[in-house]
Amino acid sequence: MTPQKVMPLALGVILVSLVMTALAGNFYQDFEVLWGGYRTQMLENGNLCTLSLDRASGSGFQSKNQFLFGKIDMQLKLVPGNSAGTVTTYYLSSLGSTHDEIDFEFLGNTTGQPYVLHTNIYAQGQGNREQQFYLWFDPTKDFHTYSILWNPLSIVFSVDGTPIREFKNLESKGIPYPKNQPMWLYSSLWDAEDWATQGGRVKTDWSQAPFVASFRNFNAQACVVVGSGTNSCNSRSSSNAWMYQSLDSSGQAKIKWVQKNYMIYNYCTDYIRFPQGVPRECSLV
């Protein structure tokens, strides 16, 4: 985990209740500045948030609420032009060495070269589940919607409603799955020139600073941790259909299309990295 993924102070052990709720996108109400001070700007009465990066610092924000399962959407417009060395993140994470985490990371590139969309999943502190993609559009020209569906069945990453990756709950096969740790939502913009662009060969061009990424239209249908009590997210209703949603054949076909045409790295086929055999879940899906 990078230093820029700053976590709040650890909480004591508490009993929590989970309230099904829908949050629709005011940054003043739903988020707080995590680091970078004035480089995090909440604008347009809280409907827009920008993060900036200069040579002195990047910036980031985190949700005021913790979530335990949810369908979360955010629209992002990424750093334009020469964004080499920069990383824009949008992810869920809990705390500690055995934390859970669900990552969208956008790795910048030189002008005219495509961004790399980097995804990863940690369960009980175990990561190394990277998949990377090019996008089928320019993510710097306009806002696009990036979504995480996280429920007891699976985790699905989607872009503009098109699923690009699914991680199924295979606990019955001995594969860890994020299901017990509430997570905050984080976003950040920071410098990672040592590895982000072409393996670190291309460095950040500070003459282009400040670099700016924009966020809007946050939406969460989610179970929110609110205090002591019982789990109120267990009941089935039309308002929490996402809790039991899984990909149908059409969704599976879309994933296959994206992975055939736009995937550029898959940990499940990296036999050099895993000479003793790729992780077990790769052979179970």
Side-chain angles (χ1 to χ4, degrees):
M1 180 168 299
T2 64
Q4 286 75 13
K5 290 186 176 179
V6 180
M7 300 298 179
L9 295 176
L11 299 177
V13 177
I14 57 173
L15 296 175
V16 298
S17 68
L18 303 175
V19 173
M20 187 72 65
T21 190
L23 302 174
N26 185 284
F27 284 92
Y28 287 126
Q29 296 176 5
D30 298 328
F31 295 93
E32 57 191 3
V33 177
L34 184 59
W35 63 290
Y38 66 88
R39 296 172 184 83
T40 301
Q41 296 284 322
M42 298 182 184
L43 307 168
E44 299 180 4
N45 296 315
N47 293 313
L48 175 71
C49 184
T50 62
L51 296 178
S52 66
L53 164 68
D54 55 39
R55 187 179 285 274
S57 179
S59 51
F61 60 82
Q62 74 169 65
S63 62
K64 294 180 179 179
N65 291 308
Q66 290 175 279
F67 307 104
L68 185 59
F69 302 127
K71 184 180 185 298
I72 297 174
D73 307 312
M74 185 85 81
Q75 290 193 325
L76 281 72
K77 183 164 67 172
L78 301 180
V79 175
N82 184 359
S83 58
T86 70
V87 175
T88 305
T89 71
Y90 157 55
Y91 65 102
L92 291 161
S93 187
S94 60
L95 302 173
S97 60
T98 58
H99 74 289
D100 295 337
E101 187 171 332
I102 304 170
D103 283 346
F104 272 113
E105 298 188 3
F106 303 87
L107 313 185
N109 214 330
T110 54
T111 301
Q113 297 301 308
Y115 264 82
V116 172
L117 171 53
H118 175 101
T119 65
N120 200 1
I121 296 164
Y122 286 75
Q124 300 173 27
Q126 177 184 342
N128 298 323
R129 298 184 174 96
E130 299 92 345
Q131 290 183 355
Q132 294 182 336
F133 306 84
Y134 289 143
L135 294 165
W136 48 95
F137 52 83
D138 183 344
T140 73
K141 297 297 185 183
D142 204 351
F143 285 90
H144 292 269
T145 302
Y146 303 90
S147 305
I148 297 169
L149 172 64
W150 169 38
N151 65 27
L153 302 176
S154 64
I155 296 164
V156 178
F157 296 79
S158 297
V159 177
D160 287 340
T162 298
I164 65 169
R165 177 179 185 178
E166 180 183 35
F167 184 79
K168 293 181 179 180
N169 184 343
L170 297 172
E171 279 193 310
S172 63
K173 306 294 186 181
I175 309 301
Y177 184 81
K179 70 170 189 178
N180 295 318
Q181 300 184 53
M183 295 196 259
W184 282 272
L185 179 65
Y186 299 88
S187 284
S188 62
L189 173 59
W190 53 283
D191 174 43
E193 67 174 10
D194 56 334
W195 65 270
T197 304
Q198 300 177 34
R201 292 186 296 275
V202 181
K203 304 300 183 183
T204 305
D205 180 0
W206 293 109
S207 70
Q208 304 297 312
F211 303 96
V212 178
S214 301
F215 302 76
R216 73 179 187 188
N217 289 348
F218 164 69
N219 184 72
Q221 302 173 62
C223 298
V224 174
V225 176
V226 295
S228 61
T230 58
N231 185 344
S232 62
C233 290
N234 288 333
S235 61
R236 288 179 178 265
S237 70
S238 59
S239 64
N240 63 347
W242 59 265
M243 189 73 154
Y244 311 97
Q245 182 179 344
S246 59
L247 289 179
D248 58 14
S249 58
S250 174
Q252 296 289 350
K254 290 177 181 177
I255 281 186
K256 289 180 180 178
W257 175 79
V258 171
Q259 295 192 351
K260 177 182 178 181
N261 292 285
Y262 296 99
M263 177 181 279
I264 58 173
Y265 177 80
N266 183 0
Y267 75 108
C268 282
T269 59
D270 193 341
Y271 300 102
I272 296 175
R273 182 183 179 189
F274 299 107
Q276 305 304 317
V278 296
R280 287 186 58 236
E281 66 264 20
C282 296
S283 62
L284 296 174
V285 295

